[in-house]
């Protein structure tokens, strides 16, 4: 059995001969806020499949009403019983065309679908895609941060300790880091990222494609302070954190940080000097504090 299929739309002879779509699983992206972003192919697909596997039938019903179709729907989640997956895949093997959608954006991206596609591949079932909106990609393009290399990390853990460990895994990453986060946890999450990754450039995009779309850019510490001072922002949020700086730049920053620290120690306490230097250089406060202790010891 090979893993290669000819994909794309075309005529078929199937359980439903009037249908213009070949049997298969159609991964179909939907808008992330602005219904006008539904693509022509997504509309054609959702109108012509035999049924749509979706996260929440009430949410998808609104989209179907917007495009003027009443295609049958069935609920699907990755935690659905394996029998539900089998039932969908049996139908496709019997000749049905089935679309997979999530509530918004691209299915499988922090959304259900991975297990269904994996099982479809294992059964050599045709899988094809109707690409479209994805909040992670939209936010990356809005961020002004490097787009040549990026890593999508999904949602961080809810609790601060686990979140810091999670951010720590990306400490050496030489690529932009794209994260989904809730408004309620935004300020704390940015502060945890700053504590672990240093004071890197960041962008926070909210309500992309919607009426109150906004993107703020600054450093992690600056945005953490701004969001800690206001009510948690409403709506949906993507954070993009700039890559860790190059090795040669790190040594330049370290030299500059040491000079600033040395001077600052003449005017303020060890703790304040470390905090002040961290703010100016983006170097880690903890490391600077240790360095400050060493400098003071050598001066004694
Ligand atoms: N599959 C979706 C996609 O392709 O983007 C993501 C689904 S995930 C369950 C939902 C998260 O995506 C939200 O909590 C938020 O972080 C992000 N998101 C979705 N729509 C967004 C929007 N319009 N603006 C900003 N972030 C959005």
């Amino acid at each position: 059995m090979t893993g290669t299929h000819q994909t794309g739309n075309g005529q078929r002879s199937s359980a439903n001969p009037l249908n213009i779509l070949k049997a298969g699983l159609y991964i179909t992206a939907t808008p992330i806020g602005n219904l006008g972003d539904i693509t022509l192919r997504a509309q054609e697909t959702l109108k012509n499949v035999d049924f749509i596997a979706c996260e929440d039938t009430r949410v998808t019903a609104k989209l179907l009403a917007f495009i003027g179709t009443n295609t049958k729907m069935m609920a699907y989640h990755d935690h659905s019983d394996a029998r539900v997956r089998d039932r969908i895949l049996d139908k496709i093997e019997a000749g049905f065309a089935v679309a997979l959608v999530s509530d918004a954006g691209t299915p499988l991206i922090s959304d259900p679908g991975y297990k269904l596609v994996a099982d479809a591949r294992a059964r050599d079932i045709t899988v094809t895609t109707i690409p479209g909106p994805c909040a992670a990609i939209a936010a990356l393009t809005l961020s002004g941060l490097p787009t040549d290399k990026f890593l999508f990390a999904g949602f961080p853990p809810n609790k601060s300790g686990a979140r810091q460990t999670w951010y720590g895994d990306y400490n050496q990453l030489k690529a932009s880091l794209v994260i989904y986060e809730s408004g309620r946890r935004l300020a704390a999450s940015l502060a945890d990222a700053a504590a672990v990754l240093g004071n890197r450039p960041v962008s926070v995009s909210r309500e992309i494609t919607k009426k109150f779309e906004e993107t703020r850019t600054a450093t992690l510490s600056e945005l953490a302070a701004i969001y800690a001072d206001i009510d948690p922002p409403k709506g949906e949020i993507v954070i993009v954190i700039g890559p860790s700086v190059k090795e040669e730049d790190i040594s330049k920053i370290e030299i500059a940080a040491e000079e600033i620290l040395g001077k600052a120690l003449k005017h303020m306490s060890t703790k304040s000097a470390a905090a002040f230097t961290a703010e100016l250089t983006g170097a880690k406060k903890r490391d600077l504090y240790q360095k400050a202790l060493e400098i003071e010891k050598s001066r004694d």
Side-chain angles (χ1 to χ4, degrees):
M1 190 159 70
T2 74
T4 313
H5 302 285
Q6 200 181 350
T7 55
N9 301 354
Q11 296 291 331
R12 65 175 182 147
S13 61
S14 77
N16 178 357
L18 291 180
N19 201 322
I20 59 165
L21 293 178
K22 281 198 293 194
L25 180 63
Y26 291 74
I27 315 290
T28 309
T30 60
I32 55 169
N34 187 327
L35 289 180
D37 291 335
I38 183 92
T39 67
L40 292 173
R41 284 188 70 220
Q43 292 186 55
E44 283 310 304
T45 304
L46 296 177
K47 285 177 181 172
N48 290 300
V49 287
D50 295 291
F51 68 90
I52 300 167
C54 56
E55 264 189 286
D56 184 333
T57 52
R58 287 162 306 180
V59 173
T60 300
K62 286 186 194 148
L63 180 68
L64 296 191
F66 176 74
I67 64 172
T69 185
N70 59 359
T71 307
K72 244 172 50 191
M73 292 177 281
M74 76 172 273
Y76 174 76
H77 303 272
D78 273 345
H79 55 258
S80 298
D81 198 302
R83 277 173 298 188
V84 177
R85 270 194 294 286
D86 281 342
R87 218 180 306 141
I88 294 172
L89 299 177
D90 289 348
K91 289 277 189 197
I92 298 174
E93 279 183 338
F96 281 69
V98 178
L100 173 72
V101 301
S102 59
D103 284 352
T106 301
L108 284 86
I109 306 302
S110 288
D111 267 341
Y114 160 69
K115 287 186 181 169
L116 188 62
V117 173
D119 286 2
R121 291 278 171 216
R123 286 170 67 160
D124 211 22
I125 284 172
T126 301
V127 181
T128 187
T129 182
I130 318 298
C134 175
I137 298 297
L140 184 67
T141 62
L142 290 169
S143 69
L145 294 167
T147 53
D148 54 338
K149 264 196 242 168
F150 63 91
L151 187 140
F152 172 66
F155 287 94
N158 295 348
K159 297 217 169 100
S160 181
R163 196 162 50 218
Q164 289 206 6
T165 308
W166 185 89
Y167 275 121
D169 287 346
Y170 304 111
N171 202 8
Q172 299 303 316
L173 187 73
K174 302 279 186 296
S176 295
L177 182 63
V178 184
I179 297 156
Y180 288 161
E181 187 54 285
S182 80
R184 220 156 24 93
R185 287 187 282 272
L186 179 62
S189 191
L190 292 169
D192 284 338
V196 174
L197 301 175
N199 197 15
R200 296 191 197 177
V202 64
S203 83
V204 171
S205 291
R206 198 172 68 81
E207 296 289 86
I208 301 168
T209 76
K210 303 186 203 177
K211 189 169 173 192
F212 297 108
E213 172 177 331
E214 67 167 13
T215 294
R216 289 189 188 203
T217 59
T219 64
L220 281 167
S221 308
E222 282 165 344
L223 282 195
I226 287 170
Y227 284 112
D229 254 11
I230 56 177
D231 286 340
K234 292 202 168 65
E236 300 190 284
I237 287 164
V238 185
I239 303 174
V240 183
I241 301 175
S244 65
V245 274
K246 294 186 203 129
E247 291 302 323
E248 64 261 33
D249 292 340
I250 290 175
S251 52
K252 278 187 211 152
I253 290 170
E254 279 170 357
I255 293 164
E258 225 174 296
E259 276 176 25
I260 294 167
L261 186 63
K263 292 201 167 90
L265 278 170
K266 292 182 184 154
H267 305 284
M268 49 187 98
S269 71
T270 320
K271 209 170 150 194
S272 305
F276 174 73
T277 310
E279 188 65 39
L280 280 186
T281 62
K284 283 193 204 144
K285 200 157 53 174
R286 210 180 313 149
D287 297 346
L288 289 167
Y289 184 71
Q290 284 309 319
K291 190 83 218 164
L293 292 177
E294 283 169 29
I295 294 173
E296 283 185 327
K297 209 166 164 202
S298 69
R299 282 180 186 164
D300 287 343

